Amino acid sequence: MQQAKDFQEESRILAHCLEAAPDTIFAATTQFKDWTVEDILGHLHFFNAAAEAALAGPKAFDRMMAPAMAELAAGGSILALQFPWLAGLSGRELFVAWRDGATRLADAYSTADPKKRVKWVGPEMSALSAITARQMETWAHGQAIFDLLGQERPESDRIRNIVHLGVVTYGWSFRVWGQTVPEPAPYVELIAPSGEVWTWNTPQDSNHVTGTAVEFAQIVTQTRNWKDTSVAASSEVAQRWMQQAQCFAGPPNKPPEPGTRFRRLL
């Protein structure tokens, strides 16, 4: 699957920005919910391993996830789920484990049947959707690390997978809040990193979202507030979407407040 290659490239680019950083970076606090770089890497490593187990079959997935699900049922946080499994793995050793685990995951999914159903924390999904979700989460959480380091991430048209996920979760962005989904969905026209123009949905003169693919991805993954981007929304419906877009599963999440997520100038 091309999506597995895109996930691998996403992980490689994040790894590259950390390889030359001092070891003190792993304890540094990011703008994402005060998680440290180490917290983010542990989170990515844990759920990458879960995706690898899911591909191996429901029994393998359940064996890995049972303790974490018990922790969650007891009121534990999504961050705390990883700690028993990591068993003290931290710092540079955690970084290496995450990097190598991402490579294993990409290799496993690269030859998988895209339509194969795999178990997950929520509803089961296709292998293609599972590896796309891993790319999305790597890109989204990686943003906090690039922001902390004051670096601009090298983007490419691999981001289309994340943008597409953001577009097709239009309805979810309302349903997760218990709201009626406004129809029709806005027309979306975005400029890719390559300069190509990508479009989704039926063209509508008065109901559309336009801008760059990168900034749209930042909005739907909630790494930026819509007001901190140049993405334009022409209608009340399109504006509501941009204000609460959420391309990931789980409970409703509010995007960061304006001006709270940004690339540091070093």
Side-chain angles (χ1 to χ4, degrees), residues 1-7 51 54-55 105-106 108-119 124-137 160-162 164-165 168:
M1 285 187 285
Q2 179 60 43
Q3 287 81 358
K5 296 178 182 178
D6 293 337
F7 162 75
L55 191 62
L105 182 63
Y109 275 79
S110 66
T111 56
D113 178 356
K115 296 180 181 179
K116 177 178 178 176
R117 305 303 292 178
V118 296
K119 195 168 183 180
E124 69 170 31
M125 54 184 156
S126 68
L128 187 150
S129 294
I131 198 64
T132 299
R134 299 317 308 142
Q135 182 197 356
M136 178 274 293
E137 193 165 21
R160 184 183 177 93
N161 301 325
I162 301 168
H164 181 72
L165 187 62
V168 300

Side-chain angles (χ1 to χ4, degrees), residues 132-155:
T132 299
R134 299 317 308 142
Q135 182 197 356
M136 178 274 293
E137 193 165 21
T138 301
W139 187 89
H141 282 297
Q143 185 69 64
I145 296 175
F146 278 99
D147 288 343
L148 178 68
L149 293 171
Q151 296 183 22
E152 188 169 352
R153 175 172 31 210
E155 300 288 4

Side-chain angles (χ1 to χ4, degrees), residues 12 20 35 49 54 110 122 125 130 150 170 198 204 210 230 251 257 264:
R12 185 195 67 78
W35 284 22
S110 66
M125 54 184 156
Y170 165 76
W198 295 336
Q204 301 160 66
T210 58
S230 59
E257 292 297 319
R264 293 177 60 198

Side-chain angles (χ1 to χ4, degrees), residues 166-187:
V167 173
V168 300
T169 51
Y170 165 76
W172 167 250
S173 295
F174 293 91
R175 287 193 300 272
V176 72
W177 287 99
Q179 301 169 0
T180 301
V181 180
E183 297 292 349
Y187 176 61

